[in-house]
Structure formats: C-alpha cells, structure tokens
Amino acid sequence: PVATTLYFHGGTPLGELEIDQQVGGVWRKMDPIEPTDPAPKSFGLVAAGAAGTGTPNPKCAGSPFFPVWVGAVDGRIVGDLKLSLDMVSAPTGQVEVRAWGYSNSLACNETYVEPDASVLVDLPAGAGTLVAEMKGVDFIAHGALMVQVTPLLEGPTAARVLYDSTSAVSQVEFSCLPASGTSCV
C-alpha cells in the first residue's frame, strides 16, 4: 500500500459562498498539494434537532450544507483512514465523519448511499483539531474519494471548520493499493 495524504482546499474565504456550486456537483477539492496561504478558509457546521430529523438533513451524501471535499483517488483504500480537521466549536456536540469511494451528486433520503467508512467523533471544545480515525477500512475508490463532516446529536451544535492554509492544515491520510501505476492520485 502507498501512504497518501490529501489536503483540503476551498475557493472562497467563506465556504458558504460555494453552496450554489456544490448543489451543481462542484465540490471543494482535496489533493496532495500542501496549502500555502497563511489565512484559513472556513465553513460553518450548524445543525438543530434530533439526529436523522434535524436541519439540515443528515441523511445526505454530498450535502452542500456540510463540509464536503472530493479528490481524485483510484485504488483500494486499506487500513486506517484518518481525517484531521482544524475547527472552532461550542463545547459540546458530535459529528459523523463519512467517506465514500466515489463522487456522486447530492443523494438524500431514498437515494442516500451508506458511506464506505464512517466514525462518530466528539467536537473539540473551543479551538482545536478534530481527529477522526476509521480503523481497518477496505474499499475501492472508483476515481474519487469524497469525505463529509455531518453533525449528529440531540439539540443544536455550532462549529466552524478551518482549512486550506498554513495555519489550518486540514487533511485526510490513508494507505492505498493503486488501480494502476505507483500512486492512487
């Protein structure tokens, strides 16, 4: 397996400004290029209500209302998949970090596809790094890997994820068996 790190990028300082693009299937990118900008980009992570019935709907893959990144990956992801995401959050709450071995358009409710890997993680209190480790994964990435951070809790939560800068180096790390060649990206 080839050790692989993909860094999270965005097109605007406030990720909410990209929601219209994501509805159209243009996701925030992740790739092996480390960020160089000193100022982080950010995206609000807000939910209210019981898991599965809250707002926005947590039964969505590729939801434009949640932090989602897609990167070119072609191969079999094996072992541990680790997402590190800088953030600022209220002192309580939980998220589910999900990964799919493809990039699909928005798929909710009846069309929702369960992720290939996922893990529940407590939000850090205040400023900190959320580390989500999915242990022992084994799935095929068919040309793309999509990761999404979804709030799941009873009651409201509020956080901002920070990414795409030298001060907020948010990333996903995994091992991959390339479909061809020597790299999965």
Side-chain angles (χ1 to χ4, degrees), residues 32-112:
I33 300 168
E34 290 189 52
T36 57
D37 192 339
K41 295 176 178 70
S42 69
F43 191 91
L45 182 63
V46 179
T53 61
T55 301
N57 181 0
K59 266 313 217 203
C60 285
S63 172
F65 302 108
F66 299 137
V68 177
W69 289 271
V70 174
V73 177
D74 197 20
R76 185 174 185 170
I77 298 175
V78 296
D80 297 342
L81 187 146
K82 178 182 173 184
L83 181 138
S84 302
L85 188 63
D86 289 329
M87 59 189 340
V88 178
S89 64
T92 181
Q94 195 172 51
V95 294
E96 182 177 19
V97 176
R98 303 171 180 171
W100 291 269
Y102 66 92
S103 171
N104 198 0
S105 60
L106 178 62
C108 299
N109 301 323
E110 300 81 33
T111 60
Y112 177 74

Side-chain angles (χ1 to χ4, degrees), residues 6 8 11 13 15 18 42 45 49-50 54 90-91 94-95 97 109 112 122 129 131 169 172-173 185:
L6 300 179
F8 300 155
E18 299 170 326
S42 69
L45 182 63
Q94 195 172 51
V95 294
V97 176
N109 301 323
Y112 177 74
D122 292 330
T129 301
V131 177
V169 184
V172 63
E173 302 167 272
V185 296

